[in-house]
């Protein structure tokens, strides 16, 4: 053990202060633990002090000896130690030295952990968890008095007041949509947000819109893209950012002006804190490990997006997918709270809604809805009625051809834009409702809805 990671004089000074004042003990009781003392005899004395307090007895040598057999020489050294003025600062130093010793112990255990007959994911997650707990120990207070909670609440009120004034009533991350901000007040720290839709409705596109808005606020984003390569993600972001049709961006069919706009957009994006994980495979343990690491090294990481939850792998032994998704969903919610940031996870919907006349999604349409619905703070559904109207039009056309009958379209979509809906199906801290937005087809992005008319033809 390196000498700089323990200080016996420091330990004696803290124990001396506690011996002569229960008030002194109370001031540091929640900050230090028995194992923070490096000397076994000091640990026993601190245990005896705790025992006296629990038994409502005076903290004195005679009472200490009732609870523990104490080393007389060590006890006399403590009694002879000069008293200290700033006990809280001493306790903080003791805790820091203790954490450093625990880090060294963890490092020494690494070789044996690596040689255990377990998967790499399990080992790395266990190590990552221990490291993160150690690094955040200074802020970990599981049990709080009402005074502490009220102080935190007042601080939050001040923060909300400031942010609401600057962001027009938003207390979380700006979503980029006025009505959605009004209902949700933004994506808030510690929240799990689920975005769900049937395939082809644009849930990934909506998420990229959210990401772009957060990046504009100079905040960092981590995206786990399990379905689409990172290059395609960026192509979609560039199309939305430059208002150049996505199909042109995908194949590079651009004129000089468009190339220049793409270049400017790439230059702007290169300065943003955006991280994309696109291996196509991720377990809850991997997500947890990567996010902890990035959150520790990059101060302004404030949003995580997972596309999508149905492709995440489970580390559990459950064979039932419902139970696996339950574990993943709960893990994401706990991670959002642990890292104090919003996590957005995309989800598919059951096919059963296709058989309904009204195909607008509802909570019961969520796949494995029990777990996801319970854990999510906010659930958003993406719905584009024109997708279904176009499907119905094609079915009528195919039927007419099969029966050798004349066919005339009764619905002609606008090739550039269409009405869409963001349905707030669950909002733990606010109202639910439906928000009408505009989907720009060529640019592959959603925007707040201006006044426009969809062309319809009756025939």
């Amino acid at each position: 053990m390196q000498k700089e990671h323990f200080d016996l004089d420091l330990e004696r000074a803290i124990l001396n202060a506690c011996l002569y004042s229960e008030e002194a003990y109370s001031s540091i009781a929640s900050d230090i633990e028995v194992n923070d003392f490096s000397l076994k005899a000091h640990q026993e004395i601190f245990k005896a002090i705790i025992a006296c307090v629990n038994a409502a007895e005076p903290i004195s040598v005679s009472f200490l000896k009732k609870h523990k057999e104490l080393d007389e020489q060590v006890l006399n050294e403590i009694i002879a130690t000069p008293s200290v003025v700033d006990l809280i600062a001493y306790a903080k130093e003791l805790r820091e030295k203790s954490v450093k010793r625990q880090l060294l112990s963890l490092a020494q255990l690494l070789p044996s952990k690596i040689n255990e007959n377990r998967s790499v994911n399990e080992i790395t997650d266990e190590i990552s968890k221990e490291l993160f707990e150690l690094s955040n120990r200074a802020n970990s207070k599981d049990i709080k008095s009402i005074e502490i909670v009220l102080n935190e609440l007042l601080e939050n009120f001040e923060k909300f007041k400031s942010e609401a004034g600057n962001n027009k009533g938003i207390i979380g991350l700006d979503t980029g949509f006025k009505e959605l901000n009004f209902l949700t007040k933004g994506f808030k720290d510690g929240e799990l947000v689920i975005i769900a839709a049937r395939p082809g409705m644009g849930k990934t596109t909506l998420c990229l819109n959210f990401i772009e808005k957060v990046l504009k606020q100079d905040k960092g984003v981590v995206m786990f893209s399990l379905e689409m390569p990172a290059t395609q993600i960026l192509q979609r972001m560039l199309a939305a950012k430059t208002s150049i049709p996505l199909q042109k961006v995908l194949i590079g069919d651009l004129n000089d002006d468009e190339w220049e706009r793409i270049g400017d957009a790439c230059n702007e994006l290169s300065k943003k804190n955006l991280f994309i994980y696109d291996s196509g495979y991720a377990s809850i343990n991997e997500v947890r490990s990567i996010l902890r690491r990035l959150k520790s090294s990059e101060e302004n990481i404030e949003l995580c997006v997972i596309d999508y939850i149905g492709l995440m792998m489970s580390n559990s032994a459950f064979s039932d997918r419902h139970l696996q998704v339950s574990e993943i969903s709960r893990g994401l919610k706990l991670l959002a709270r642990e890292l104090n940031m919003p996590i957005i996870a995309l989800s598919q919907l059951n096919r059963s809604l296709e058989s309904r006349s009204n195909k607008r999604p509802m909570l019961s349409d969520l796949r494995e809805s029990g777990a996801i619905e319970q854990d999510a703070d906010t659930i958003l559904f993406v719905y584009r009625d024109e997708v279904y109207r176009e499907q119905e039009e094609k079915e009528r056309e195919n039927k007419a051809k099969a029966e050798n009958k004349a066919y005339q379209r009764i619905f002609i979509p606008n090739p550039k834009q269409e009405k869409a809906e963001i349905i707030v199906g669950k909002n733990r801290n606010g109202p639910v409702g439906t928000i009408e937005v505009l989907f720009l087809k060529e640019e592959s992005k959603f925007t707040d809805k201006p006044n426009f008319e969809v062309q319809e033809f009756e025939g």
Side-chain angles (χ1 to χ4, degrees):
M1 186 73 68
Q2 296 183 34
K3 186 176 180 180
E4 62 266 27
H5 299 321
F6 64 92
D7 186 336
L8 296 183
D9 288 337
L10 177 76
E11 295 181 15
R12 293 188 193 104
I14 292 171
L15 291 172
N16 173 279
C18 293
L19 276 177
Y20 291 100
S21 170
E22 185 172 338
E23 183 179 343
Y25 165 78
S26 298
S27 70
I28 63 169
S30 61
D31 295 324
I32 61 175
E33 302 171 355
V34 170
N35 291 333
D36 288 336
F37 294 92
S38 61
L39 193 66
K40 181 69 175 176
H42 288 173
Q43 293 179 4
E44 293 301 308
I45 292 171
F46 195 65
K47 285 179 183 177
I49 291 172
I50 295 172
C52 285
V53 172
N54 291 340
E57 297 172 346
I59 303 176
S60 64
V61 173
S62 58
F63 280 97
L64 292 181
K65 290 179 178 179
K66 283 178 55 180
H67 298 283
K68 294 283 181 181
E69 287 188 20
L70 305 178
D71 187 312
E72 289 289 343
Q73 182 180 342
V74 172
L75 191 57
N76 289 333
E77 290 172 349
I78 290 170
I79 293 171
T81 300
S83 58
V84 297
V85 176
D86 193 350
L87 183 60
I88 293 175
Y90 272 63
K92 180 180 178 182
E93 181 68 17
L94 176 70
R95 184 174 64 247
E96 289 188 359
K97 289 183 179 298
S98 172
V99 169
K100 288 179 180 179
R101 292 198 305 272
Q102 292 175 67
L103 285 169
L104 281 173
S105 298
L106 180 59
Q108 292 166 358
L109 286 172
L110 280 179
S112 61
K113 286 183 179 290
I114 291 170
N115 290 325
E116 291 175 3
N117 186 25
R118 293 192 293 161
S119 71
V120 171
N121 285 341
E122 290 178 325
I123 296 171
T124 54
D125 181 61
E126 180 181 322
I127 294 169
S128 164
K129 182 179 180 181
E130 291 185 40
L131 282 172
F132 194 80
E133 287 175 352
L134 286 173
S135 67
N136 287 279
R137 188 184 154 202
N139 297 319
S140 62
K141 300 287 185 292
D142 293 332
I143 300 177
K144 300 178 180 179
S145 70
I146 187 62
E147 183 181 8
I148 292 173
V149 177
L150 283 172
N151 286 335
E152 290 180 356
L153 180 60
L154 291 173
E155 288 176 6
N156 284 338
F157 281 155
E158 288 298 321
K159 178 183 175 184
F160 294 161
K161 182 180 178 181
S162 172
E163 292 181 351
N166 295 330
N167 297 309
K168 300 178 182 178
I170 304 169
I171 59 175
L173 295 176
D174 189 345
T175 69
F177 297 89
K178 293 177 182 177
E179 289 188 65
L180 187 58
N181 284 337
F182 177 78
L183 288 181
T184 65
K185 306 304 179 187
F187 298 133
K188 296 174 283 297
D189 292 340
E191 284 192 338
L192 175 61
V193 180
I194 298 294
I195 299 178
R198 289 294 295 151
M201 286 288 164
K203 55 186 179 295
T204 299
T205 298
L206 182 61
C207 259
L208 294 180
N209 291 171
F210 291 148
I211 289 173
E212 184 183 1
K213 185 63 179 180
V214 172
L215 292 176
K216 281 183 178 178
Q217 301 168 60
D218 289 324
K219 301 179 187 297
V221 179
V222 183
M223 181 176 188
F224 293 83
S225 179
L226 308 184
E227 192 171 35
M228 194 180 298
T231 51
Q232 289 186 21
I233 292 292
L234 285 181
Q235 286 173 320
R236 288 169 177 264
M237 292 183 70
L238 289 171
K241 195 174 185 63
T242 60
S243 297
I244 298 173
L246 176 61
Q247 291 305 313
K248 296 188 70 175
V249 175
L250 290 175
I251 62 175
D253 179 23
L254 308 172
N255 59 36
D256 291 343
D257 174 66
E258 289 168 338
W259 276 119
E260 185 176 349
R261 285 154 60 191
I262 289 290
D264 291 342
C266 287
N267 184 54
E268 186 179 338
L269 275 174
S270 69
K271 299 173 184 176
K272 301 297 184 181
N273 237 10
L274 174 62
F275 299 86
I276 302 176
Y277 175 100
D278 68 346
S279 77
Y281 169 93
S283 66
I284 183 62
N285 287 348
E286 285 175 311
V287 170
R288 189 183 295 125
S289 177
I290 291 169
L291 265 186
R292 283 171 179 161
R293 186 171 69 247
L294 283 173
K295 187 73 172 174
S296 297
S297 61
E298 305 287 337
E299 290 184 1
N300 75 333
I301 296 294
E302 298 202 26
L303 176 67
C304 172
V305 173
I306 299 171
D307 185 9
Y308 64 98
I309 200 169
L311 292 177
M312 287 188 68
M313 307 300 292
S314 171
N315 294 110
S316 70
F318 299 130
S319 58
D320 190 313
R321 183 59 183 167
H322 283 72
L323 295 176
Q324 291 178 0
V325 170
S326 178
E327 178 208 33
I328 293 167
S329 175
R330 188 58 185 161
L332 290 176
K333 173 56 185 173
L334 292 175
L335 186 60
R337 289 191 60 185
E338 175 187 320
L339 299 182
N340 197 33
M341 64 188 293
I343 292 179
I344 298 176
L346 277 62
S347 176
Q348 295 278 24
L349 295 176
N350 291 316
R351 292 183 179 180
S352 57
L353 71 81
E354 306 282 355
S355 61
R356 299 199 302 258
S357 56
N358 183 353
K359 295 177 173 56
R360 284 175 176 80
M362 57 185 70
L363 292 176
S364 58
D365 295 321
L366 278 165
R367 285 186 180 173
E368 297 89 18
S369 63
I372 295 175
E373 183 181 343
Q374 176 179 320
D375 294 323
D377 296 283
T378 303
I379 297 177
L380 307 178
F381 298 110
V382 185
Y383 178 75
R384 290 161 52 200
D385 191 59
E386 282 195 19
V387 173
Y388 290 112
R389 298 184 73 176
E390 184 62 21
Q391 287 177 3
E392 292 169 359
E393 194 67 50
K394 287 180 179 178
E395 289 172 3
R396 282 194 293 268
E397 182 179 7
N398 291 335
K399 182 179 180 182
K401 287 180 179 179
E403 297 175 353
N404 199 24
K405 292 181 178 179
Y407 167 75
Q408 183 180 4
R409 266 186 173 269
I410 62 173
F411 169 71
I412 300 177
N414 185 318
K416 293 188 176 182
Q417 61 189 27
E418 67 179 81
K419 291 178 181 177
E421 297 174 12
I422 300 175
I423 302 169
V424 183
K426 178 181 179 181
N427 187 8
R428 197 185 298 276
N429 298 305
V432 297
T434 298
I435 299 157
E436 288 192 355
V437 294
L438 177 65
F439 180 65
L440 304 181
K441 298 178 181 179
E442 290 184 339
E443 299 160 29
S444 188
K445 70 178 179 182
F446 292 88
T447 68
D448 278 321
K449 185 178 77 68
N451 294 323
F452 77 101
E453 294 294 330
V454 177
Q455 292 176 285
E456 293 190 24
F457 296 84
E458 301 298 333

